[in-house]
Amino acid sequence: MDLLNQIKLNASKHNMRIVLPEGTEPRTLKAAEIILKEKIARLILLGNKEQIIEKASELGVDITDAKLVDPANDLRRDFYAAKMVEIRKDKGLTFEEALTLLNDPLYFGPMMIKCGDADGELAGAINATGDVLRPALQYIKTIPGCSVVSGAFLMFVDKKIVDDGILVFADCAVMPDPTDIQLAEIAVTTAKTAKAIVGMEPRVAMLSFSTKGSAKHPLVDKVANATKLAKQMAPELLIDGELQLDAALVKEVGELKSPGSLVAGQANILVFPGLESGNIGYKLVQRLAGAEAVGPVLQGMAAPINDLSRGCSVTDIINMVAITANQAANNY
Ligand code: ACO
């Protein structure tokens, strides 16, 4: 059985409650029908109930088993608003402002999770990443001991290029310009994600345009420092840097440029130095090498909230709901 089917099967054992804030979005509704039929997760669709039902019937999809919740008039609004005020008291958020924010499903969804009424969320089919992330960062926040949320992609590539046919890339979605400490945290968190979702034995390459001092530049120093810090944070982790991409992936180049490394030439996790290279990098591999890109799987958040690309397919939504459900069930 392939990995994605295994992930869906695992999800179905946990019966998690996943909230989908874009309740009238056609691909979301089509995915919802399949998710409910295959019992991958229980679903909560947010939006005006009549509009959701009308859209579903227009599309001919059966969403009878989904729970429909309208953020504009749900009975839990006051409770959620009080919780929001408590969380944002330092920022001076008022009860009235919180009620207004709750009209937005992208705020309502995370508050359902925060207050124990849902286990995870997936959005982004029609909303920009920043708009999906901001409420999650403000109200769900990071897991203890982790200061940064980042986004990993599972990249399914040709087995002729990579032994197992799968690489994990990060950060490709969240942190525009990480510091060395943040980069180190991203590396450690990505290794945990790869282990939890893929069952991978992580070999982490910290990418740069330089290998082991071949170029001198503050950007190179940042990656080299991040590598040292990551080793301190997780001494057991196989990690090497700074490495150029070919030194990370190609055996002969790795042996030449970083002799004796247990990572160079055989990395399975690629940590990019910033969001520009990470986001462009995953899309290059997806579009030019034909890799299937699954993600971004958001990591470091206290509860699973995941984002979709606005170009996502129905299959992407199904896969990401399954991943979100697994994260919720297993706390990663
Ligand atoms: N990890 C943890 N907390 C964070 C992070 C992070 N990576 N980034 C911001 N925060 C916190 C802030 O500390 C702040 O907390 P506070 O309000 O309690 O003080 C809160 O989140 C809001 O942060 P701001 O910086 O005020 O919010 P902003 O909107 O400026 O930025 C965001 C956050 C949305 C993540 C921004 O960095 C962003 O837009 N990143 C890029 C997202 C993107 O467009 N990705 C590419 C597309 S994705 C794709 O192609 C798959």
Side-chain angles (χ1 to χ4, degrees):
M1 180 183 293
D2 76 16
L3 179 66
L4 290 170
N5 282 331
Q6 187 63 56
I7 288 170
K8 282 188 258 180
L9 189 67
N10 289 346
S12 68
K13 292 178 189 151
H14 300 299
N15 210 18
M16 291 286 114
R17 298 161 301 171
I18 305 301
V19 56
L20 303 175
E22 296 155 335
T24 53
E25 196 281 317
R27 288 160 297 170
T28 303
L29 284 166
K30 287 180 191 167
E33 180 182 46
I34 298 165
I35 293 161
L36 293 167
K37 199 167 143 213
E38 296 183 9
K39 297 191 187 312
I40 293 168
R42 286 179 280 166
L43 293 181
I44 303 158
L45 297 174
L46 299 186
N48 176 285
K49 292 182 192 178
E50 286 73 35
Q51 284 174 11
I52 297 175
I53 292 166
E54 196 182 310
K55 195 76 202 174
S57 100
E58 217 176 283
L59 294 165
V61 299
D62 178 7
I63 50 151
T64 326
D65 290 338
K67 183 175 173 183
L68 307 186
V69 174
D70 187 350
N73 56 33
D74 190 70
L75 291 173
R76 298 276 278 167
R77 281 173 57 84
D78 283 2
F79 183 71
Y80 293 165
K83 190 79 185 164
M84 289 169 81
V85 170
E86 185 191 319
I87 295 169
R88 303 292 284 176
K89 55 179 178 294
D90 296 350
K91 309 277 174 184
L93 184 79
T94 66
F95 189 74
E96 285 65 35
E97 286 167 341
L99 283 176
T100 305
L101 286 175
L102 283 169
N103 292 333
D104 180 347
L106 295 177
Y107 277 86
F108 197 90
M111 288 317 295
M112 289 189 81
I113 298 171
K114 190 76 192 174
C115 296
D117 298 326
D119 302 306
E121 176 191 281
L122 179 67
I126 45 170
N127 285 289
T129 298
D131 296 334
V132 174
L133 282 175
R134 210 166 291 110
L137 295 171
Q138 289 173 347
Y139 294 96
I140 300 289
K141 299 187 182 286
T142 51
I143 45 175
C146 177
S147 72
V148 61
V149 170
S150 57
F153 270 90
L154 315 184
M155 302 296 297
F156 293 84
V157 294
D158 194 327
K159 285 191 176 163
K160 277 182 246 149
I161 302 171
V162 175
D163 277 352
D164 298 332
I166 181 162
L167 291 169
V168 179
F169 288 10
D171 168 24
C172 306
V174 185
M175 200 74 207
D177 187 16
T179 63
D180 51 3
I181 299 175
Q182 288 169 333
L183 205 49
E185 274 194 27
I186 291 168
V188 174
T189 320
T190 308
K192 283 187 191 149
T193 300
K195 222 169 175 168
I197 300 185
V198 186
M200 195 178 247
E201 277 312 314
R203 295 185 298 275
V204 184
M206 303 293 281
L207 297 182
S208 171
F209 56 86
S210 161
T211 300
K212 300 295 173 78
S214 64
K216 309 279 174 226
H217 192 277
L219 288 173
V220 174
D221 297 340
K222 180 169 100 170
V223 178
N225 284 341
T227 310
K228 272 188 216 141
L229 291 165
K231 282 179 182 163
Q232 286 163 16
M233 289 174 193
E236 72 293 347
L237 186 61
L238 288 184
I239 181 166
D240 197 10
E242 85 287 353
L243 294 175
Q244 285 160 286
L245 184 84
D246 54 354
L249 290 182
V250 182
K251 194 167 171 277
E252 297 73 31
V253 184
E255 279 169 4
L256 189 73
K257 294 190 174 182
S258 187
S261 168
L262 296 174
V263 172
Q266 47 180 333
N268 51 16
I269 296 177
L270 303 183
V271 175
F272 291 82
L275 185 53
E276 279 181 312
S277 54
N279 190 265
I280 295 167
Y282 102 79
K283 284 180 194 273
L284 275 175
V285 177
Q286 180 188 37
R287 299 289 169 182
L288 296 185
E292 187 182 353
V294 176
V297 179
L298 296 184
Q299 41 187 24
M301 194 106 70
I305 294 196
N306 280 313
D307 177 41
L308 293 160
S309 158
R310 276 172 288 177
C312 68
S313 65
V314 171
T315 306
D316 293 333
I317 298 175
I318 298 168
N319 289 338
M320 286 306 296
V321 163
I323 287 177
T324 310
N326 276 291
Q327 286 178 293
N330 300 307
N331 293 320
Y332 59 82

